[in-house]
């Protein structure tokens, strides 16, 4: 199993297109918080990827904002903000992580592994942000930008449709059009640290099977859930 993970880490590094000078940074970016539960804090802080995730979120935001400002010089702030959100949310990061093969490279506790941690969108998305921070610390902003341009190429080439700009409103309109009450949202779970929480929200529409989605805030999770439900029902 250890050899399989080592192979997955090596393959991930190849897909990133960045050879780490400090391999420990990549290892830390791939280490889920469940691994260190109950362990003493090291001299440089916790040994999991949560602090790197915090930094990576900011690095990603900067890179996306710069890319959009250059690519769409006539777009207004609202249009840029909508596009930025779509490129940095948990769903986008999870898709990037799946394409990179992050799941098999993760370092998880036995318990998290048994519950399917390597396939959890939230776990993969968090690791992707941590990996971007690790690249930034290892090679600087230019290295992080190169990884971003490569890893997010599919997301950048397929901007979200206008229907997804406000998915909660779109879902509300669809429900009303079906003669059903307004959708309801419920926080099903909240995990992670205070500075980097992950919310799992369930959305329900009368006579429709509920669906859950994750986000770094309740609002983000609600939007992700609304989008997923609209897609599942063939509305978008």
């Amino acid at each position: 199993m250890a050899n399989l993970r080592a192979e997955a880490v090596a393959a991930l590094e190849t897909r990133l297109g960045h050879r780490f000078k400090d391999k420990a940074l990549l290892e830390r970016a791939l280490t889920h918080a469940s691994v260190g539960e109950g362990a003493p804090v090291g001299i440089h802080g916790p040994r999991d990827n949560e602090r790197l995730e915090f930094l990576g979120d900011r690095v990603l935001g900067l890179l996306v904002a710069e890319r959009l400002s250059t690519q769409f010089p006539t777009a207004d702030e609202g249009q840029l903000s909508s596009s930025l959100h779509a490129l940095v949310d948990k769903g986008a990061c999870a898709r990037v992580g799946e394409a990179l093969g992050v799941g098999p490279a993760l370092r998880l506790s036995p318990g998290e592994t048994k519950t399917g941690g390597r396939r959890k969108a939230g776990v993969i998305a968090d690791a992707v942000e941590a990996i971007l921070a690790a690249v930034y610390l290892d090679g600087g902003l230019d290295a992080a930008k190169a990884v971003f341009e490569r890893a997010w190429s599919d997301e950048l080439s397929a901007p979200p449709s206008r229907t997804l700009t406000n998915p909660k409103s779109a879902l509300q309109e669809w429900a009303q059009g079906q003669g059903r009450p307004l959708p309801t949202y419920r926080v099903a779970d909240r995990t992670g640290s205070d500075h980097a929480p992950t919310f799992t929200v369930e959305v329900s529409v009368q006579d429709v099977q509920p669906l859950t989605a994750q986000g770094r805030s309740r609002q983000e999770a609600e939007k992700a859930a609304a989008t997923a439900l609209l897609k599942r029902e063939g509305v978008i």
Side-chain angles (χ1 to χ4, degrees):
M1 184 66 181
N3 288 337
L4 289 176
R5 181 176 174 267
E7 291 173 4
V9 173
L12 170 62
E13 196 173 10
T14 298
R15 293 188 190 101
L16 289 171
H18 177 80
R19 290 296 177 184
F20 281 84
K21 297 185 288 291
D22 184 355
K23 301 291 186 181
L25 275 171
L26 177 58
E27 185 67 12
R28 186 167 181 174
L30 293 169
T31 301
H32 187 256
S34 62
V35 174
E37 289 176 354
V41 175
I43 188 171
H44 298 299
R47 298 183 177 90
D48 57 54
N49 64 8
E50 288 190 346
R51 285 174 61 87
L52 285 176
E53 178 200 343
F54 172 79
L55 176 60
D57 178 42
R58 276 68 184 172
V59 173
L60 177 59
L62 172 62
L63 293 172
V64 172
E66 180 186 50
R67 177 67 146 74
L68 293 175
S69 295
T70 301
Q71 186 175 357
F72 304 107
T74 62
D76 61 31
E77 183 182 359
Q79 293 171 317
L80 293 173
S81 294
S82 178
S83 296
L84 184 146
H85 175 79
L87 290 166
V88 305
D89 72 7
K90 290 287 186 184
C93 289
R95 290 190 295 272
V96 168
E98 288 169 2
L100 288 171
V102 168
L106 290 171
R107 184 168 170 244
L108 307 170
S109 70
E112 185 65 30
T113 300
K114 288 180 181 178
T115 60
R118 297 186 190 283
R119 299 185 300 276
K120 291 180 181 177
V123 172
I124 293 173
D126 292 346
V128 165
E129 291 178 337
I131 290 167
L132 193 60
V135 173
Y136 168 73
L137 293 174
D138 191 67
L141 190 58
D142 286 344
K145 183 175 182 179
V147 168
F148 164 72
E149 292 287 347
R150 183 178 299 108
W152 266 261
S153 60
D154 287 345
E155 298 293 322
L156 290 165
S157 64
S161 67
R162 293 182 62 85
T163 307
L164 299 184
T165 301
N166 194 337
K168 292 180 66 177
S169 292
L171 181 60
Q172 178 178 314
E173 292 171 5
W174 175 75
Q176 290 180 316
Q178 300 290 315
R180 295 168 177 157
L182 296 178
T184 59
Y185 299 86
R186 177 181 68 86
V187 176
D189 194 18
R190 183 187 187 280
T191 59
S193 61
D194 289 339
H195 76 262
T198 295
F199 289 83
T200 301
V201 166
E202 179 185 79
V203 60
S204 300
V205 175
Q206 182 180 298
D207 299 326
V208 177
Q209 183 180 353
L211 183 148
T212 60
Q214 293 181 321
R216 60 170 55 84
S217 67
R218 177 171 181 167
Q219 182 181 31
E220 182 177 293
E222 288 179 352
K223 288 183 177 180
T227 299
L229 188 57
L230 287 167
K231 287 182 177 178
R232 193 190 69 189
E233 297 302 314
V235 181
I236 57 176

